Amino acid sequence: PYFEGLFASSMRDADAEGLPIADTEPDVLEQLLLWIYTGEVAEAALQAKDMLEHLLMAANRYECDGLKLLCEAKLCEGL
């Protein structure tokens, strides 16, 4: 939904060769894209609290509800 809206809009970024994603760290973006393409993330990413927190924020921002639920569940396991 996030990217669909971006590409469907008449925004200048929609016509650009690339999309700037300045608010997400490269390692977090890599896991986000892995989720989008495969429905999975690296096991190591699920073990690091800092990564889970950033991945949860990215999943929320880019409307990846399944990833968001996974991150929330893993973070709750650590409580």
Side-chain angles (χ1 to χ4, degrees), residues 19-77:
L19 295 173
I21 302 180
D23 57 351
T24 305
E25 293 296 319
D27 55 340
V28 175
L29 182 59
E30 180 180 0
Q31 294 304 313
L32 179 68
L33 290 173
L34 184 62
W35 173 267
I36 290 170
Y37 282 101
T38 69
E40 299 176 0
V41 293
E43 189 62 34
L46 297 175
Q47 303 302 319
K49 183 181 178 197
D50 188 53
M51 171 61 93
L52 279 170
E53 290 171 347
H54 286 93
L55 200 50
L56 175 60
M57 289 187 286
N60 185 53
R61 181 178 305 115
Y62 299 113
E63 301 176 19
C64 296
D65 294 333
L67 179 57
K68 192 170 137 182
L69 290 172
L70 176 63
C71 292
E72 290 169 345
K74 289 293 186 179
L75 285 168
C76 286
E77 285 178 11

